[in-house]
Structure formats: C-alpha cells, structure tokens
Amino acid sequence: MLSNRLLSAFTLMSFIALSGCSDQTAVEDTKQDTTAKEAVTTEPVVTASTDAAETEKSAEEAEVVVEENPPRFANITDSLALKPNAEWSWDTLASTPDIQKWDPKTPTKNEYTPEDPSYYIWGGLDDHGGVSAYGTKDKPVLIKINSGQGVMEDETGSAVYKTEDLFRANELTRVKSNCDTEEDGLFSQQFYKWQKPGYQPLYVYAITDQANAGTSSDVGIAKSFDDFFNLDYSNALINLRALDAEGNSVTCTFEL
C-alpha cells in the first residue's frame, strides 16, 4: 500500500513538472510570436503624401511646353526642315500638313512650257497663296511659298505672307549679298540662312513686290543658294533677280 502511495505521489509530481515545462514553452512561443509581429510592424510604410509627391513629380516631368505665338505657318516650314544628311522626297512633301488642296500632288512637268525640264507639285494654303516644290523627276530641289492680294481687296496687302509668318526670328540669319535691295522699296529682295536646332542649315530668299495691281511675295527654300540660280528653275523663280543696286546683271554672291 505504501509503495502504491509513493508511486502515485511520484506520478503527480512528474505531471506537475511536465506542466510547468509546457507553460514555459508556451510563454517563450508567445514572446517569439510577439517579437515577430513587432518586426513586421516596423517595416517602412508608404504614406498617401509620398504617393501624392511622386504623382506630382511625374506630372511635372510629363509637362509639355506650349509655344506662345508661333509663326502662322510654322507647321508648314517645320515639316520642310531637314535632319542632318536627309533629303526631300516627293512623297514626304506631298504629306506636308495644313495643305487645303494639291494640284498636282505628284511631280508633273509644266505643259505650257515643254522646254522647262523641271517637275513640280503645288498645294494651296488659303485663298491667297500656296506651296510649290520644284526638282527633277527623282527628287525635289527647292521649295517656294508664294502669296498675293489685289489692291481692290486690300491696298496694304495684309494677307500676303511675310517671313515672320513662316519662320521664327531666332532661326533666321540675314546673309548679305550684292543682289540685296532695300527692305522698304516697292520691290525688296533679301537672303537668309535658316537653321533650326538639330537640323541642317537651309537657305532662303524673300521677295515682296508692291505693284499697281496689288502686292505679292515669294519665299524660296533650298539646300544651297546656287539652286535658286540654276537655269532649270528659272521659269519657276521668275521673280528672283540677279541684279546689283544699279540694276546691272551680276552673279549673286553671298557672305556666309
């Protein structure tokens, strides 16, 4: 009997000891779990203000600067500018924006002057003028933008295109020539270098002619001044004069 009591007491004490170990293990597990949760909650949190700041930064980076008061026909001339080593083609010129109507749209010879070797296309810009391109059958060589207005409509010729209607002032550089005329004369002729940033330089002549019937203007664009005086295009550029200040025929020279 005594041995049975001793065995029961020993069993009870063993159970209590095991229970104590179990409780300690549970406490340790609880502490580890709490530590893990604390570690999770210490991770950095992206706040709404951070998101807003990033969104604002992206919006600023994507902001597009809109040009104020661009030239009236900037879309036209911008499309004519040539990247380095590029050439005009009849197809690309026929895709010039803001053309109201092409006539013709494919390179054609002038049927009224069969001796003229050049080909051309022409597109209207408005009721007062348009864009022409002249060249060989393979490619255009020069561009002409011309306009005119009769004196009965407006004796000041306000609708006639000026250089500032076509080009940004900071992209044009005046080129002195022995074929220049006075700017305020009834007939004026000047020459320019046109240089858009990132594009190759092109060369420009600008003519304004104030006659009894009205006012007209011609603006030519080419890769070289020599192209303007090529005899193949003399009919197209009939208003361009190779004359000095005294009216003598000369070979035009340019101070580049």
Side-chain angles (χ1 to χ4, degrees), residues 224-240:
S224 167
F225 282 127
D226 292 339
D227 292 330
F228 296 136
F229 299 96
N230 186 325
L231 292 178
D232 288 347
Y233 309 113
S234 58
N235 288 332
L237 307 183
I238 193 170
N239 292 329
L240 185 62

Side-chain angles (χ1 to χ4, degrees), residues 189-205:
Q189 175 175 281
Q190 287 81 40
F191 300 89
Y192 301 87
K193 176 183 176 181
W194 177 33
Q195 178 75 72
K196 286 182 64 65
Y199 291 77
Q200 61 180 285
L202 296 173
Y203 299 91
V204 172
Y205 75 78

Side-chain angles (χ1 to χ4, degrees), residues 79-139:
S79 73
L80 300 177
L82 291 172
K83 288 287 189 179
N85 302 316
E87 300 280 350
W88 288 309
S89 74
W90 292 114
D91 288 339
T92 56
L93 290 185
S95 300
T96 301
D98 299 338
I99 298 296
Q100 292 186 355
K101 180 182 179 181
W102 287 102
D103 184 23
K105 192 173 184 177
T106 56
T108 305
K109 293 191 69 172
N110 190 334
E111 61 180 315
Y112 301 106
T113 55
E115 71 281 2
D116 186 342
S118 67
Y119 288 75
Y120 79 100
I121 60 174
W122 181 88
L125 292 177
D126 57 21
D127 292 339
H128 297 97
V131 179
S132 306
Y134 298 88
T136 66
K137 188 175 183 179
D138 295 328
K139 67 176 183 178

